[in-house]
Amino acid sequence: MKAINPIRMGGVEVLPLVEGGKGISITTGVSAGHWAASGGIGTLSAVNADSQDALGRPIEPAYHARTRQERHEELVAHAIEGGIAQAHIAHDLAQGNGRIHANFMWEMAGSEQIIAAVLEKARGLIHGLTCGAGMPYRLGEIAARFNVHYYPIISSARAFNALWRRAYHKAADLLGGVVYEDPWLAGGHNGLSHGEDPARPEDPFPRVHALRKLMRSFGLGDRPIIVAGNVWWLEEWEDWIDNADLGPIAFQFGTRPLLTRESPIGAAWKRKLLTLKWGDVFLNRFSPTGFYSSAVNNSFVRDLRDRSERQVPFLPEQDGEHQVAFQTSPRKQAVYLTADDRQRVEAWQRQGFTEALPTPDDTLIFVTPQKAAEIRADQSSCVGCLNECRFSTWSQHAANHNTGKKPDPRSYCIQKTLQAIAHKGDKEEIVEHNLMFSGHCGHRFSTDPFYSNGFIPTVGQLIDRILTGR
């Protein structure tokens, strides 16, 4: 394997090894601090980070307000307090080594307010900002206010071109690098565009080469490109290292740091990672953000897939083949289905899926009464965690905080499920029945000899292994 030499990033020499940011409460100050202490770039998540009590135990958020707007304000206050706490933890553990970055999600409600407050109250503790899940045009502006470097997460040269021309050229000196995140293979939310086929992954090399050519045209040839998504062994990327066409390259590890002793995820979650097989990570579009995302195909995801398969289109009036009346509830006017779809509905109802829920696309899905009650309760309990949520119809920016669309029961409450698995991931049933984000290389835990007999390394041991190879 080629020698891995330090790279200049954010004004200092660091190992070209970056911890990928994972919220909610998954990349914490502990994991980030230990990663930085080993000479790389540790990343704490500023997405609803946990604050701590006097004994250092995480404080799970609790919401007491009556309205969604008031609960949203509670969420923002909690996130600010938690982000500051995690920044102090990371700084203390790093002991001046490496770099500490904070990751936040542009489509998170209150994202600008939260990251600005964290940077203000934790000045000097955070050296860089990474941000994705959307087009974060104001990222450079925020970074300039606090004199920190910024690292936008993009999935194509086209996206970076739009960001640069509209905004980033105004804060060129603080652009520390660009994170290229593979839109097919990365974990969490993925940046697939409308013109890209989710079933046809593209070779990342030409895409990153195109990004480098664009960056050079902007005078950014010396800024690192941080490659993210499907990064496991660096010898698999030897053609990228010291490649004159690509320029300075660093590597981001999102999935592998989940399985370390410092990782805060629960024991059952860690055991599950050690059992994953190829194909267990599923690219789907169930997220309430509307983005594609990559997650483990457990009971939670299978339920979402099954819901969408129990779906039929309807019309409010008889037309064409839609001649068969169907009463969604005793109090509502009948809608019209085709004869074939009415037979399918009757079969689902015999299996216990008797509740019909409308979607924004003029279709009905069929679920059990218990699931219908859960969906409605989750929608009612919304805390306004996203800019816009297709599941609950929350909108941060609309005058009435509503998207004006029907709620989509094919999706889910992302805040509820991520908080559950983050804080109760030591229980098998929680891991099986909640959203478990993962990159598509997660199956390699079960085949990599490094993890034989259930071995879980420290962050330092993982970085040593990455640097020395197989």
Side-chain angles (χ1 to χ4, degrees):
M1 188 179 83
K2 288 183 180 177
I4 305 300
N5 299 311
I7 192 172
R8 192 158 186 82
M9 195 180 305
V12 299
E13 296 283 323
V14 293
L15 291 173
L17 309 179
V18 181
E19 178 189 21
K22 299 171 289 296
I24 295 170
S25 306
I26 302 305
T27 46
T28 62
V30 173
S31 61
H34 281 281
W35 196 278
S38 296
I41 293 180
T43 304
L44 62 92
S45 172
V47 180
N48 301 147
D50 283 336
S51 52
Q52 295 188 320
D53 64 17
L55 298 177
R57 296 172 299 196
I59 300 173
E60 293 186 46
Y63 302 98
H64 308 288
R66 184 179 60 85
T67 68
R68 295 200 297 184
Q69 172 62 17
E70 292 169 328
R71 292 193 293 270
H72 164 75
E73 292 168 1
E74 289 180 304
L75 177 144
V76 169
H78 177 86
I80 291 170
E81 183 179 352
I84 295 166
Q86 298 303 325
H88 280 280
I89 293 168
H91 173 78
D92 292 346
L93 288 171
Q95 297 183 331
N97 298 305
R99 270 321 203 214
I100 300 294
H101 288 182
N103 174 261
F104 66 111
M105 178 178 166
W106 197 247
E107 290 302 314
M108 176 181 69
S111 60
E112 293 183 59
Q113 179 185 353
I114 291 167
I115 198 62
V118 171
L119 291 172
E120 175 66 40
K121 297 178 182 179
R123 281 186 179 269
L125 307 185
I126 294 170
H127 308 113
L129 298 178
T130 59
C131 183
M135 291 291 280
Y137 289 108
R138 288 169 52 82
L139 180 60
E141 179 183 334
I142 297 169
R145 283 171 55 192
F146 297 96
N147 196 35
V148 298
H149 288 85
Y150 65 105
Y151 303 81
I153 302 172
I154 54 92
S155 58
S156 68
R158 181 181 179 183
F160 182 70
N161 183 51
L163 290 166
W164 175 264
R165 293 184 184 279
R166 176 169 169 177
Y168 292 172
H169 69 277
K170 301 174 185 177
D173 291 346
L174 287 172
L175 181 71
V178 178
V179 181
Y180 170 80
E181 188 173 73
D182 190 296
W184 289 274
L185 299 176
H189 289 102
N190 302 68
L192 279 166
S193 70
H194 294 298
E196 292 166 333
D197 186 343
R200 292 190 173 186
E202 295 181 12
D203 182 356
F205 189 96
R207 295 170 67 92
V208 174
H209 188 214
L211 173 60
R212 174 57 75 195
K213 288 175 66 177
L214 179 69
M215 291 174 65
R216 283 173 172 155
S217 74
F218 297 148
L220 304 172
D222 62 334
R223 311 300 167 86
I225 295 175
I226 303 164
V227 179
N230 209 39
V231 179
W232 194 266
W233 288 118
L234 292 186
E235 54 260 50
E236 297 168 346
W237 300 82
E238 282 198 326
D239 291 344
W240 295 55
I241 300 169
D242 299 327
N243 185 308
D245 289 334
L246 296 182
I249 292 286
F251 296 92
Q252 180 168 296
F253 295 82
T255 300
R256 290 196 75 173
L258 285 170
L259 202 56
T260 63
R261 295 183 200 173
E262 293 86 354
S263 169
I265 70 174
W269 189 347
K270 290 180 179 179
R271 289 193 296 271
K272 180 70 173 180
L273 290 172
L274 288 167
T275 68
L276 296 182
K277 303 294 187 292
W278 186 89
D280 280 349
V281 178
F282 172 63
L283 186 64
N284 66 83
R285 208 170 188 180
F286 298 124
S287 171
T289 63
F291 295 128
Y292 282 94
S293 67
S294 295
V296 174
N297 191 22
N298 59 3
S299 292
F300 180 85
V301 171
R302 287 193 292 274
D303 175 67
L304 290 167
R305 297 174 80 171
D306 290 345
R307 270 191 235 172
S308 286
E309 289 173 3
R310 291 191 302 272
Q311 183 172 193
V312 295
F314 70 87
L315 293 177
E317 298 177 353
Q318 288 177 310
D319 186 40
E321 294 183 354
H322 289 74
Q323 296 292 328
V324 182
F326 177 75
Q327 199 81 30
T328 58
S329 72
R331 295 183 303 276
K332 291 188 177 181
Q333 184 176 352
V335 297
Y336 294 89
L337 311 178
T338 69
D340 287 345
D341 283 343
R342 186 67 178 94
Q343 290 183 350
R344 296 169 66 204
V345 168
E346 289 173 352
W348 294 332
Q349 290 177 322
R350 287 194 294 271
Q351 295 169 24
F353 303 108
T354 56
E355 290 288 313
L357 301 178
T359 78
D361 299 322
D362 293 331
T363 64
L364 298 172
I365 67 165
F366 288 81
V367 297
T368 65
Q370 294 82 0
K371 180 57 69 173
E374 179 187 340
I375 290 171
R376 293 186 180 111
D378 288 347
Q379 290 168 337
S380 177
S381 300
C382 173
V383 298
C385 70
L386 298 173
N387 275 339
E388 283 196 355
C389 177
R390 64 181 180 135
F391 176 71
S392 71
T393 71
W394 159 269
S395 173
Q396 181 181 347
H397 302 296
N400 61 352
H401 298 293
N402 193 296
T403 63
K405 302 175 182 177
K406 292 179 182 177
D408 195 336
R410 296 167 296 188
S411 188
Y412 55 87
C413 176
I414 195 167
Q415 179 75 202
K416 172 189 171 184
T417 188
L418 291 182
Q419 289 288 356
I421 198 167
H423 295 107
K424 301 173 184 176
D426 55 342
K427 299 178 180 179
E428 304 287 348
E429 64 272 20
I430 294 293
V431 170
E432 185 61 27
H433 296 289
N434 283 279
L435 181 66
M436 190 192 313
F437 280 141
S438 174
H440 288 246
C441 61
H443 68 94
R444 300 185 69 170
F445 285 120
S446 64
T447 58
D448 190 331
F450 185 49
Y451 302 96
S452 296
N453 301 315
F455 174 69
I456 297 177
T458 65
V459 166
Q461 288 171 325
L462 174 59
I463 289 180
D464 287 343
R465 184 72 166 192
I466 291 169
L467 289 172
T468 56
R470 296 175 192 273

